[in-house]
Amino acid sequence: MTLSLVGRVSLGTFELACNLEIAAGVLGVEGVNGIGKTTLLRVIAGLTPLTDGTLTVDGVVYDDPSRGIFVPAHKRKVGMVFQDHSLLPYLSVLDNILFARRHRGVPSVGGNAMQILEMFGAQDLAALMPDSLSGGQAQRVCLARAFIGNPKIVLLDEPLSAIDQQSRVDLRRIVSESLAAIDGYKVIVSHDKQDIAELCTSSYFL
Amino acid sequence: MGRIITSRTPRFVYFGACIGVAFVALPLFGLVRKVAWSSLLKQLGDGPTRDALWLSLTTSVAATAIALMLGLPLAWILARVEFKGRRLLRALVMLPMVLPPVVGGVALLGAYGRSQGFLGSLLFENFGLQLTFSRIGVVVAETFVALPFLVMALEAGLRGIDPKYEESAATMGAGDVSRFFRVTLRLLRPSLIAGVAVAWARALGEFGATITFAGNIQGRTQTAPLAVYLLLETDPQAAYALSFVLLAICVAVLVALRDKWIGNRA
């Protein structure tokens, strides 16, 4: 079972070409700023379509412009942490988690929203609105939101960048455990060598 | 906060602004001053006045609802779908905003008039439906003039929404319909309310297109603005009373909007 992405994205003057295959384990994506690490995650998530090429997951074609195939993002069972966290601003932290849980069609087993918040050290934030969170707090909530409901594809874009050094070790361990519990494809983009070293089992240079 | 000396407001600006305020406020004062307070309720409860007010309220609400149902999809297309002729479409949809309302009324007659309209004659012959001189005609005329206000507010609102929220909702598994109602519409709420308010105010005040297309039949198509105009000749006190009510409704809407939904941005 693999996720294979061979293709090219062209957005105006921006160009990204990639050729990668993901099996078990966690893939770390590295590369200089602006090279297209985020775009790579967006392609896998279904937020940016391929210009040409093919994205296949478990033998199912998700994106192939030459054949007119495109599986929309909401059908890809993705759990994603965005760089600029993008929590829904009109929902409380808990409601943001519940939004994800409901739309992933999760039964309450393995999808207890408070439990998952607690796991990421964000249980005290449940009633707060996103605009009152610090960067680090928002990232914890986003991690919880990405992991709830057993997504098939986990995409983390700089998931620990706003976490202070003291809590980083702890949180890295929690992310690592959460990733291990996911039976699917896992990709992390990070500038932090240590994040890549400790969370990922292989890496891909763009 | 520190002030920058070059941004100091020149005196003539204050002067111009004062004249501007007076220009708006003096007529309003003139209107309020002429209201006969002791007999206000009696005048409003009087047959034609009451009918006109009720007709205006019901038709303007109906027109705003229809404008919303048509305006939201239009605004979406204009804001988010790229196609050739988008600017042309926007100009067309916005046209009733700048068009003299009487011309709008004439255009409506040309389309939906019972004998003159190319569609109206079909409607009448096949279904016995007549829009002119009917309550539906009032709603059609009001919708025609109110629609561009809604489209303008909603298009600006849709363009102002950061796509990251809809994208993150999509990765959480929210499909098109769910995203539309639970994310886009929710983020659009301030523009939606502002757009509904101005469109409704425009519909409530509609005069030219209504009188041209729907006529001025008391109890059927005579809306409050039409009644005010006629009463000014026959019963000026009632005209002032009715005008005051329209003014009060508009002020109430502005105040409610500012405090409740739009926030307290200066």
Side-chain angles (χ1 to χ4, degrees):
Chain A
M1 286 291 156
T2 54
L3 182 157
S4 120
L5 171 58
V6 182
R8 190 174 64 87
V9 179
S10 149
L11 300 162
T13 56
F14 174 82
E15 185 91 15
L16 168 74
C18 46
N19 182 346
L20 77 114
E21 197 158 279
I22 311 172
V26 182
L27 180 74
V29 177
E30 298 177 77
V32 294
N33 282 338
I35 194 80
K37 301 188 291 293
T38 297
T39 306
L40 175 63
L41 295 189
R42 291 175 58 88
V43 167
I44 299 173
L47 299 175
T48 301
L50 281 171
T51 307
D52 50 46
T54 314
L55 168 67
T56 316
V57 179
D58 291 346
V60 179
V61 178
Y62 272 27
D63 193 348
D64 186 346
S66 70
R67 285 192 278 164
I69 299 175
F70 184 79
V71 175
H74 66 271
K75 292 187 176 155
R76 295 192 184 189
K77 298 204 170 80
V78 173
M80 186 161 180
V81 169
F82 291 80
Q83 225 171 339
D84 52 352
H85 41 74
S86 59
L87 291 165
L88 298 175
Y90 48 87
L91 294 180
S92 71
V93 163
L94 181 61
D95 285 335
N96 262 282
I97 306 290
L98 292 173
F99 185 99
R101 195 182 84 175
R102 183 175 51 233
H103 286 97
R104 293 203 178 113
V106 188
S108 50
V109 180
N112 188 316
M114 277 315 286
Q115 240 168 30
I116 203 153
L117 277 174
E118 202 175 334
M119 199 161 89
F120 287 97
Q123 69 275 20
D124 297 336
L125 310 174
L128 297 182
M129 299 305 283
D131 62 2
S132 60
L133 302 180
S134 71
Q137 290 173 328
Q139 246 170 4
R140 288 167 185 271
V141 177
C142 286
L143 280 164
R145 191 175 71 166
F147 279 107
I148 196 161
N150 287 319
K152 190 163 86 179
I153 303 172
V154 176
L155 306 166
L156 309 180
D157 197 353
E158 300 285 356
L160 302 174
S161 59
I163 307 288
D164 56 71
Q165 284 306 323
Q166 292 126 303
S167 358
R168 210 171 171 120
V169 177
D170 268 350
L171 205 59
R172 206 183 275 134
R173 182 180 49 77
I174 297 162
V175 171
S176 178
E177 286 167 11
S178 307
L179 286 169
I182 297 281
D183 178 30
Y185 305 102
K186 297 158 268 193
V187 185
I188 299 180
V189 165
S190 179
H191 274 101
D192 189 307
K193 294 277 174 220
Q194 196 142 10
D195 286 350
I196 297 279
E198 292 188 22
L199 293 173
C200 306
T201 51
S202 59
S203 47
Y204 181 75
F205 284 90
L206 272 178
Chain B
M1 278 224 260
R3 283 174 184 234
I4 303 161
I5 193 78
T6 49
S7 74
R8 200 172 62 185
T9 310
R11 265 180 206 195
F12 71 85
V13 172
Y14 283 111
F15 182 69
C18 285
I19 295 181
V21 168
F23 188 74
V24 176
L26 290 178
L28 295 179
F29 172 71
L31 159 59
V32 174
R33 188 180 153 265
K34 290 284 273 183
V35 176
W37 300 103
S38 55
S39 55
L40 182 66
L41 284 179
K42 189 182 135 300
Q43 272 155 356
L44 293 177
D46 199 27
T49 322
R50 192 193 53 211
D51 288 351
L53 202 52
W54 180 243
L55 182 73
S56 265
L57 288 175
T58 49
T59 53
S60 62
V61 168
T64 309
I66 296 170
L68 183 60
M69 284 186 281
L70 305 177
L72 189 53
L74 269 173
W76 184 292
I77 300 287
L78 289 173
R80 296 187 162 188
V81 184
E82 280 186 34
F83 58 97
K84 239 182 170 177
R86 177 160 69 167
R87 291 161 73 109
L88 197 67
L89 179 67
R90 183 182 295 116
L92 177 73
V93 174
M94 294 300 168
L95 196 59
M97 190 147 68
V98 288
L99 199 68
V102 178
V103 177
V106 172
L108 287 171
L109 274 178
Y112 308 118
R114 195 183 85 177
S115 51
Q116 306 168 32
F118 65 98
L119 287 172
S121 50
L122 288 176
L123 281 177
F124 187 70
E125 280 160 25
N126 295 311
F127 307 103
L129 190 67
Q130 182 184 344
L131 296 184
T132 46
F133 307 109
S134 74
R135 201 165 281 215
I136 300 173
V138 176
V139 176
V140 169
E142 290 178 348
T143 308
F144 185 77
V145 296
L147 183 62
F149 289 87
L150 252 171
V151 173
M152 194 169 68
L154 295 179
E155 189 193 345
L158 282 167
R159 285 178 183 279
I161 293 178
D162 191 328
K164 70 181 186 179
Y165 299 116
E166 286 152 302
E167 288 182 343
S168 79
T171 65
M172 287 186 268
D176 295 344
V177 175
S178 185
R179 281 203 310 280
F180 178 78
F181 286 105
R182 290 176 201 273
V183 183
T184 317
L185 269 195
R186 184 60 188 73
L187 291 167
L188 195 60
R189 191 185 277 186
S191 311
L192 202 64
I193 291 167
V196 162
V198 287
W200 176 72
R202 181 65 188 87
L204 185 71
E206 220 308 296
F207 186 98
T210 312
I211 198 165
T212 312
F213 180 61
N216 185 13
I217 306 162
Q218 196 236 304
R220 197 182 332 158
T221 69
Q222 187 183 83
T223 57
L226 301 184
V228 167
Y229 183 72
L230 285 188
L231 284 170
L232 217 42
E233 302 263 304
T234 56
D235 185 357
Q237 279 207 341
Y240 279 106
L242 194 49
S243 298
F244 173 74
V245 172
L246 292 176
L247 171 66
I249 292 173
C250 294
V251 170
V253 168
L254 275 182
V255 170
L257 276 184
R258 203 185 121 67
D259 290 351
K260 284 210 172 140
W261 294 296
I262 310 264
N264 290 325
R265 279 171 290 164

